[in-house]
């Protein structure tokens, strides 16, 4: 019976749902109304909602009217990452909506993802950042995102900390009026000027974090150790240095696979992101290589006939994890089952010598 259940689980798709810091596809928001004041988004003049943006709506001229960064009926999507019928308009002369990061990021890795559809980009040398991560206020910037025109398309740039720091742009050029997945990874390190900012454009999201980023930088002092907000910056005083277009499917997480809006099936996870090596099973060690962190999970090991040989609670991080087990001395095929806190099951076979 156990063997039949194991085989059935191998042939069916179970979905992994893992917590991230936040995800927002704007689906429940009112089209034609400002993103500010919807959900937890706010600008910094809105004390009631936290004031997480870079500024309120500013008029183009003194005494003139101003515009908000509105939610619009513009669909946006990326394979295996997410899809939404709504997005945020990007342009100058708009307000600056921001979103809190709760809990505050005080170390380790932070991933931020979004889908961009850029219509126009500022000329070379004139670009200003339109997206930031920061701490406490808008002057303590941790990292920045920019785009600049490249003739046949645009390049994407990243910058750490101060606006005076070096901007590093992608070598690749990306098409205007096309949905492009943008993922930023900020890694806190122990020194004062060695934190690393990586950028990934249009990765195969389901295959995990690429070995080589689209752009990377560690230049400049680490301006803010903590990160408590992200925000879009569309103010009137730098409108000519900003792109136009749309942004959506914004997400922040501690791990790569916790960003996506579409749960990965167990088939995707098994084939792309989760391997088990039993080379040292006779010595009481199996190695789990994972591209997703899992906590408080149950590890079961079965014989090929379905006999439960061992069960234990484990937590694993990304990359290689050596797990202590009871030594397996008989050469054979064994089944390793990993059950997450939410009951999702992942199955792998190992061969011991």
């Amino acid at each position: 019976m156990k063997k039949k259940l194991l085989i059935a689980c191998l042939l069916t798709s179970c979905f992994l749902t893992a917590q991230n810091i936040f995800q927002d596809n704007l689906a429940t928001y009112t089209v034609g109304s400002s993103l500010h004041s919807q959900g937890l988004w706010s600008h910094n003049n809105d004390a009631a909602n936290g004031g997480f943006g870079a500024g309120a709506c500013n008029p183009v001229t003194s005494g003139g009217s101003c515009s908000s960064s509105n939610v619009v009926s513009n669909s946006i999507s990326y394979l295996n990452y997410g899809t939404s019928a709504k997005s945020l308009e990007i342009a100058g002369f708009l307000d600056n909506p921001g979103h809190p990061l709760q809990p505050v990021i005080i170390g380790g890795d932070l991933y931020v993802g979004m889908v961009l559809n850029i219509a126009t980009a500022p000329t070379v040398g004139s670009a200003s950042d339109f997206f930031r991560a920061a701490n406490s206020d808008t002057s303590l910037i941790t990292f920045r995102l920019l785009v600049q025109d490249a003739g046949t398309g645009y390049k994407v740039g990243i910058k750490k900390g101060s606006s005076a720091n070096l901007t590093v742009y992608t070598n690749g050029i990306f098409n205007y009026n096309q949905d492009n997945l943008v993922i930023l990874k900020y890694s806190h390190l122990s020194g004062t000027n060695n934190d690393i900012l990586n950028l990934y454009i249009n990765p195969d999201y389901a295959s995990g974090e690429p070995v080589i980023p689209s752009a990377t930088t560690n230049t400049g002092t680490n301006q803010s150790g903590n990160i408590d907000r992200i925000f879009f910056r569309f103010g009137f005083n730098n409108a000519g240095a900003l792109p136009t277009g749309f942004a959506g499917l914004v997400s922040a997480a501690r791990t790569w696979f916790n960003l996506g809006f579409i749960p990965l099936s167990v088939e995707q996870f098994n084939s792309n992101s989760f391997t088990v090596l039993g080379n040292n099973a006779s010595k009481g060690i199996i190695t789990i290589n994972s591209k997703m962190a899992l906590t408080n999970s149950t590890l079961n090991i079965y014989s090929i006939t379905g006999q439960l040989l061992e069960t234990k609670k484990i937590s694993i991080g990304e990359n290689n994890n050596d797990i202590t087990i009871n030594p397996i001395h008989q050469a054979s095929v064994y089944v390793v089952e990993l059950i997450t806190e939410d009951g999702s099951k992942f199955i792998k076979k190992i061969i011991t010598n």
Side-chain angles (χ1 to χ4, degrees), residues 25-342:
N25 61 8
L26 314 185
T28 62
Y29 299 161
T30 303
V31 170
S33 295
S34 173
L35 179 60
H36 156 68
S37 78
Q38 301 199 66
L40 295 180
W41 294 92
S42 62
H43 54 57
N44 70 348
N45 286 6
D46 183 6
N49 288 324
F52 286 97
C57 187
N58 293 296
V60 176
T61 59
S62 178
S65 61
C66 62
S67 299
S68 298
S69 305
N70 285 339
V71 177
V72 294
S73 294
N74 181 84
S75 61
I76 204 160
S77 65
Y78 194 81
L79 180 66
N80 291 323
Y81 177 79
T83 184
S84 179
K86 300 177 184 178
S87 54
L88 171 70
E89 60 180 339
I90 297 175
F93 301 113
L94 301 178
D95 63 354
N96 302 272
H99 196 286
L101 298 183
Q102 300 169 340
V104 175
I105 306 303
I106 59 175
D109 294 333
L110 170 66
Y111 292 82
V112 177
M114 70 187 78
V115 176
L116 296 177
N117 189 306
I118 300 297
T120 66
T123 58
V124 174
S126 66
S128 182
D129 56 280
F130 68 96
F131 179 84
R132 296 177 174 181
N135 176 41
S136 300
D137 61 45
T138 58
S139 64
L140 294 174
I141 309 304
T142 307
F143 60 84
R144 307 163 188 257
L145 180 68
L146 311 84
V147 295
Q148 73 174 18
D149 183 62
T152 58
Y154 65 93
K155 294 186 174 185
V156 183
I158 52 175
K159 179 185 298 189
K160 274 177 51 179
S162 167
S163 60
N165 287 341
L166 175 70
T167 300
V168 177
Y169 284 95
T170 57
N171 290 323
I173 297 174
F174 305 96
N175 293 333
Y176 287 116
N177 302 305
Q178 174 180 300
D179 291 350
N180 292 305
L181 177 61
V182 175
I183 296 179
L184 299 126
K185 177 187 180 183
Y186 191 85
S187 299
H188 292 87
L189 301 179
S190 58
T192 59
N193 62 357
N194 60 348
D195 286 0
I196 300 172
L197 176 60
N198 285 335
L199 171 69
Y200 305 92
I201 308 293
N202 293 338
D204 179 358
Y205 177 73
S207 294
E209 183 177 332
V211 175
I212 300 175
S214 303
T216 185
T217 182
N218 65 351
T219 301
T221 302
N222 308 332
Q223 183 156 300
S224 174
N226 301 340
I227 308 174
D228 76 344
R229 69 194 63 198
I230 60 170
F231 59 91
F232 290 93
R233 178 173 169 269
F234 304 142
F236 73 102
N237 58 343
N238 63 336
L242 297 173
T244 64
F246 306 96
L249 295 168
V250 184
S251 182
R254 283 296 207 167
T255 66
W256 177 274
F257 281 112
N258 286 350
L259 285 172
F261 291 75
I262 300 174
L264 295 177
S265 69
V266 69
E267 180 182 356
Q268 288 174 313
F269 187 63
N270 280 346
S271 62
N272 295 318
S273 312
F274 178 61
T275 59
V276 181
L277 300 177
N279 306 32
N280 294 315
S282 63
K283 300 176 183 178
I285 296 174
I286 61 172
T287 300
I288 299 177
N289 184 290
S290 176
K291 292 183 178 178
M292 182 183 294
L294 298 173
T295 60
N296 196 30
S297 299
T298 301
L299 175 73
N300 294 322
I301 300 178
Y302 296 90
S303 69
I304 194 62
T305 61
Q307 180 186 2
L308 179 63
L309 304 178
E310 181 166 2
T311 182
K312 64 186 300 184
K313 289 287 187 181
I314 66 168
S315 295
I316 60 174
E318 296 180 66
N319 300 317
N320 289 329
N321 302 265
D322 287 335
I323 307 298
T324 302
I325 62 170
N326 294 321
I328 299 175
H329 296 296
Q330 183 176 351
S332 183
V333 176
Y334 296 86
V335 175
V336 176
E337 177 185 51
L338 195 62
I339 305 175
T340 65
E341 281 187 290
D342 66 359

